[in-house]
Amino acid sequence: GTQRWVSTDFNAPDEAECFAMLDYAYERGVRTLDTAEQYPIPSGPGSPEGSTEATIGKWMKTHNIDRTTMTIASKITGATNVSPRNIEKDLDGTLKRLQTDYLDVYLLHWPQRYSPQSNWGQSLRYDKRGEYRRACTFEELVQTMDRMAKKGKIRGWGLCNDSSYGLTKSCVLASQMGMLKPCAFQ
């Protein structure tokens, strides 16, 4: 994955190494890239969040990559950041960094509500202290993603690091509302 590309890790690939990996993959037929606005991890001085997307965008532009030959997925930083306003604002930032006018798939990086996670050293046991107020409802989420598709900014959307509940609720509501359903679950 691209999570550590151009990060502050001591052994993270720099831009030249990322370009070499992209060249190698592209020459061998790889046409799908997955990234996130939050990458690189860890970020820091000289390597802020969004640098991985900017590196991919620069590679595509400097190598004259035909955008229609690529499938690109990126993610909005999730949790309390997920709101109708932030979805569009953050998506616009992602599109600018990637130097494209649309994403094939836009994912919520984390659920927009508390959900126990088994990664990052967390327990799957529900912990009421982890709850936080949602920035938007499922209905608002589905409406916003549908609106981004109608504006031509995304072709599809999905959920990442979420639960079966989050996916099911999003799919059911999208169907009931006659709107674009999630197409990916990562």
Side-chain angles (χ1 to χ4, degrees), residues 17-72:
E17 291 171 305
C18 292
F19 278 22
M21 287 188 279
L22 287 164
D23 291 341
Y24 183 88
Y26 191 79
E27 290 164 5
R28 285 156 183 78
V30 173
R31 297 292 184 271
T32 301
L33 296 174
D34 174 63
T35 190
E37 72 169 344
Q38 190 176 5
Y39 298 169
I41 296 175
S43 56
S47 192
E49 290 185 357
S51 295
T52 303
E53 288 178 334
T55 298
I56 292 168
K58 185 176 178 182
W59 173 78
M60 289 180 56
K61 183 172 185 170
T62 60
H63 288 69
N64 295 314
I65 302 297
D66 178 359
R67 174 64 180 89
T68 63
T69 68
M70 300 295 296
T71 300
I72 302 175

Side-chain angles (χ1 to χ4, degrees), residues 8-151:
T8 58
D9 264 351
F10 73 95
N11 63 349
D14 62 16
E15 183 181 275
E17 291 171 305
C18 292
F19 278 22
M21 287 188 279
L22 287 164
D23 291 341
Y24 183 88
Y26 191 79
E27 290 164 5
R28 285 156 183 78
V30 173
R31 297 292 184 271
T32 301
L33 296 174
D34 174 63
T35 190
E37 72 169 344
Q38 190 176 5
Y39 298 169
I41 296 175
S43 56
S47 192
E49 290 185 357
S51 295
T52 303
E53 288 178 334
T55 298
I56 292 168
K58 185 176 178 182
W59 173 78
M60 289 180 56
K61 183 172 185 170
T62 60
H63 288 69
N64 295 314
I65 302 297
D66 178 359
R67 174 64 180 89
T68 63
T69 68
M70 300 295 296
T71 300
I72 302 175
S74 193
K75 305 169 205 71
I76 183 175
T77 301
T80 55
N81 183 57
V82 176
S83 69
R85 184 182 138 279
N86 288 348
I87 289 170
E88 186 160 19
K89 177 181 69 69
D90 290 10
L91 174 57
D92 288 344
T94 286
L95 296 174
K96 183 177 179 179
R97 287 185 295 274
L98 287 168
Q99 301 184 46
T100 186
D101 57 352
Y102 70 95
L103 281 179
D104 297 285
V105 182
Y106 194 44
L107 298 124
L108 303 178
H109 209 164
W110 295 96
Q112 46 93 22
R113 69 199 170 287
Y114 171 69
S115 176
Q117 300 290 319
S118 62
N119 53 351
W120 306 109
Q122 299 169 356
S123 169
L124 285 175
R125 180 174 290 152
Y126 190 85
D127 182 352
K128 190 169 177 67
R129 294 171 300 174
E131 291 182 8
Y132 49 79
R133 185 171 169 79
R134 266 188 276 209
C136 73
T137 65
F138 277 105
E139 290 85 357
E140 291 170 318
L141 171 64
V142 168
Q143 290 168 339
T144 303
M145 293 306 221
D146 188 74
R147 188 170 57 253
M148 295 305 99
K150 286 179 176 157
K151 287 184 172 186

Side-chain angles (χ1 to χ4, degrees), residues 162-169 185:
D162 206 328
S163 64
S164 55
Y165 171 78
L167 176 64
T168 302
K169 185 78 170 176
F185 189 70

